[in-house]
Amino acid sequence: MSVAVENFVKAIYNNDKHDIKDTKPGNIAKKLGISNAAATDMAKKLAARDLLNYEKYQELQLTDKGVKMALNVIRKHRLWEAFLFKMFDMSLHDIHREAELLEHQTSDLLAEKISAYLGHPKFDPHGDPIPNANGEITTKDTSISLSEAMEGKTYTIARLMSDDKEFFEFCTQNGIKYRNTLTITKQFSGNKMTQILVGTNTIVLNEDFTKNIYVEEH
Amino acid sequence: MSVAVENFVKAIYNNDKHDIKDTKPGNIAKKLGISNAAATDMAKKLAARDLLNYEKYQELQLTDKGVKMALNVIRKHRLWEAFLFKMFDMSLHDIHREAELLEHQTSDLLAEKISAYLGHPKFDPHGDPIPNANGEITTKDTSISLSEAMEGKTYTIARLMSDDKEFFEFCTQNGIKYRNTLTITKQFSGNKMTQILVGTNTIVLNEDFTKNIYVEEH
DNA sequence: TTTTATTTTTAAGTAAGCTTAAATATTTTA
DNA sequence: TAAAATATTTAAGCTTACTTAAAAATAAAA
């Protein structure tokens, strides 16, 4: 299974989970930074390998086999994140970047060794759940996007979902991290801007940032 | 720099160091498990990129740039070996296999973090020297192949050079490991067979194994 | 030294993973 | 609902990293 295939399957899986459901080739292409034509092409090839269902102009749907592959890669990614986070003093963004590469070159054996070393953690440093060796996520996710949360309420940060370096730098600088607490002090004009309180810091976020922050009721 | 290029350059470097010097495409091809034609092809391409000097029917010679690339990859390989060896209970062969993959997906930053964590080690678990971040090997190598060592003498094991799983299993089972001591008790018919004493074990090795064991005078 | 065996090189071809440009279908909006 | 905008697909083409088969050169053996 090549890097391109693993990334394609992973992109569909992640998109399916977290975006406004749009798994058509164009949207996957955008996530992967490839052309629409390349994505359509790949979709056809993966359909032939029973990793996804493809019908012209329709959404791409992973088969069980495709989901299994995605979860296997995601497991390795998140284990690497947890491991690097524990071992080395590196930014969340740098850790993410390393994991993005290492995930494709990690045997199931090594993944298991890392998992055991960490005490089989259920979450990575962003708060994302780590699938077990069978590709099952045993924790249930009750988190909501901060852009959908309610003014006046206090939440626990459940996940930080982003590939963007600036987002993580911003979070680090402002105490926005996994398991910290925040309160929504004010929402402006249809949730386009959100004012939050983290520790003693009052911060105003726009939607580009709030949509990446997932929280749970306190 | 692709995996194929890194492995090609690495194969020339390693071969140049340790084999009866033969860096012609055919020999490199054999090491990499590709066809002679593919190796010739690659040699021409890498010559165009100033990584090696290529002249028809002649030995391939790495340029300074090529050596630098090789040492950068080798550094990452050996750091991973040292790191995995320290962290996890895995066989030397499994560790080698993981490192063979991870070496190509490791940033200089991560390599430096691993090196620092280990206290900037000078040798990996096979006894191979680890180049520093500038691609310099600061230790001088005075080891010789066991197949060239002398009967009756006692040596310290300096390096175990092999990709072969059975070789490492054999070594592990018989106490043949980095920094252990061995004595050559008998040599047979022009060094084709060598009898050694390791701890309380007497072992007879054929040349396929002795050529992979490097030793230093005691 | 000449023949034979081995290597190296060239040539032609393949698969994966991309690209751009044009054709076709779908979606939006007026 | 028809026109305009957008997205998807098809088609043609490129690069990398291989392959096999044949030609050419080198190395070994008689």
Side-chain angles (χ1 to χ4, degrees):
Chain A
M1 307 306 158
S2 72
V3 172
V5 169
E6 289 186 346
N7 279 335
F8 198 86
V9 159
K10 198 178 68 159
I12 296 171
Y13 182 89
N14 280 332
N15 195 72
D16 221 5
K17 285 274 155 187
H18 301 298
D19 273 36
I20 313 101
K21 191 175 169 119
D22 175 3
T23 58
K24 285 185 190 156
N27 197 35
I28 302 304
K30 203 164 71 185
K31 306 264 172 187
L32 294 172
I34 60 177
S35 68
N36 287 10
T40 300
D41 213 59
M42 181 63 96
K44 285 182 188 174
K45 282 180 187 164
L46 298 199
R49 288 167 64 175
D50 193 31
L51 289 164
L52 53 80
N53 297 129
Y54 171 72
E55 281 183 81
K56 274 190 180 183
Y57 304 107
Q58 302 307 121
E59 308 267 333
L60 304 179
Q61 289 185 307
L62 293 181
T63 61
D64 288 352
K65 195 174 154 193
V67 170
K68 199 172 169 186
M69 179 184 285
L71 284 168
N72 187 258
V73 179
I74 288 169
R75 167 175 165 78
K76 287 166 185 174
H77 179 98
R78 293 180 183 168
L79 282 171
W80 273 117
E81 291 216 348
F83 185 68
L84 297 178
F85 185 74
K86 174 166 183 166
M87 298 301 295
F88 306 122
D89 178 34
M90 292 169 74
S91 74
L92 277 186
H93 185 258
D94 282 346
I95 281 174
H96 177 80
R97 257 179 45 240
E98 304 285 350
E100 204 71 15
L101 298 175
L102 298 173
E103 64 185 10
H104 305 293
Q105 311 298 153
T106 307
S107 70
D108 289 346
L109 172 70
L110 180 56
E112 202 48 32
K113 294 281 179 189
I114 294 170
S115 182
Y117 178 81
L118 296 170
H120 300 293
K122 295 223 184 294
F123 298 95
D124 76 10
H126 298 107
D128 291 312
I130 300 175
N132 68 21
N134 296 319
E136 296 151 357
I137 295 176
T138 56
T139 51
K140 58 174 179 284
D141 182 9
T142 56
S143 66
I144 56 170
S145 171
L146 187 55
S147 52
E148 287 146 27
M150 281 168 61
E151 189 174 306
K153 279 204 172 173
T154 294
Y155 295 95
T156 300
I157 295 169
R159 280 183 291 127
L160 301 174
M161 293 274 311
S162 176
D163 284 10
D164 180 40
K165 181 169 187 163
E166 298 201 344
F167 173 74
F168 285 120
E169 281 171 1
F170 179 84
C171 289
T172 302
Q173 278 160 26
N174 290 285
I176 299 171
K177 69 175 182 189
Y178 179 42
R179 291 201 171 142
N180 269 195
T181 287
L182 65 78
T183 302
I184 300 185
T185 44
K186 202 161 176 56
Q187 277 167 329
F188 302 96
S189 50
N191 293 12
K192 291 279 177 249
M193 303 288 276
T194 306
Q195 188 189 72
I196 62 172
L197 180 68
V198 184
T200 56
N201 292 30
T202 294
I203 309 157
V204 178
L205 302 165
N206 72 9
E207 206 179 18
D208 285 340
F209 278 13
T210 57
K211 72 166 197 271
N212 295 327
I213 300 172
Y214 284 74
V215 294
E216 274 170 350
E217 294 220 20
H218 206 51
Chain B
M1 308 305 158
S2 71
V3 172
V5 168
E6 289 186 346
N7 279 335
F8 198 87
V9 160
K10 197 178 70 158
I12 297 171
Y13 182 90
N14 281 331
N15 195 72
D16 221 6
K17 284 274 153 185
H18 300 298
D19 274 36
I20 312 101
K21 190 175 167 120
D22 175 4
T23 58
K24 285 182 189 159
N27 197 35
I28 302 304
K30 203 164 69 185
K31 307 264 171 191
L32 294 172
I34 61 176
S35 68
N36 287 10
T40 300
D41 213 58
M42 182 63 97
K44 284 183 190 171
K45 281 181 187 163
L46 299 198
R49 288 167 65 176
D50 193 32
L51 289 164
L52 53 80
N53 298 127
Y54 172 72
E55 281 184 80
K56 273 190 181 184
Y57 304 105
Q58 300 309 120
E59 308 267 333
L60 304 178
Q61 290 184 309
L62 293 180
T63 61
D64 288 353
K65 194 173 155 195
V67 169
K68 199 172 169 186
M69 179 184 284
L71 285 168
N72 187 259
V73 179
I74 287 168
R75 167 174 164 79
K76 287 166 185 173
H77 179 99
R78 294 180 182 167
L79 283 171
W80 274 117
E81 291 218 348
F83 185 67
L84 297 178
F85 185 75
K86 174 166 184 167
M87 300 300 294
F88 306 121
D89 178 34
M90 292 169 75
S91 74
L92 277 185
H93 185 259
D94 282 346
I95 281 173
H96 176 79
R97 256 176 48 239
E98 304 286 350
E100 204 70 16
L101 297 175
L102 298 173
E103 63 186 10
H104 306 292
Q105 310 301 330
T106 307
S107 71
D108 290 346
L109 171 69
L110 179 56
E112 202 49 32
K113 293 282 179 187
I114 294 171
S115 182
Y117 178 80
L118 296 169
H120 300 292
K122 294 224 183 294
F123 298 95
D124 76 11
H126 298 107
D128 291 312
I130 300 174
N132 67 21
N134 296 320
E136 296 151 354
I137 295 177
T138 55
T139 52
K140 57 172 176 286
D141 181 9
T142 57
S143 66
I144 56 170
S145 171
L146 187 55
S147 52
E148 288 148 25
M150 281 167 63
E151 190 174 305
K153 279 203 172 172
T154 294
Y155 296 96
T156 300
I157 295 168
R159 279 181 293 127
L160 301 173
M161 291 275 311
S162 176
D163 283 10
D164 180 41
K165 180 169 188 166
E166 299 204 342
F167 173 75
F168 285 119
E169 280 171 2
F170 179 85
C171 289
T172 302
Q173 278 160 26
N174 290 283
I176 299 170
K177 69 176 184 188
Y178 180 42
R179 289 203 172 141
N180 269 195
T181 285
L182 65 80
T183 303
I184 299 183
T185 46
K186 201 160 175 58
Q187 276 166 332
F188 302 95
S189 51
N191 292 14
K192 290 280 176 253
M193 305 285 275
T194 306
Q195 188 188 75
I196 61 171
L197 181 69
V198 184
T200 57
N201 293 28
T202 293
I203 308 157
V204 178
L205 302 164
N206 71 10
E207 206 178 18
D208 285 341
F209 277 15
T210 57
K211 73 167 196 274
N212 294 326
I213 301 172
Y214 284 74
V215 294
E216 275 170 349
E217 296 221 17
H218 206 50

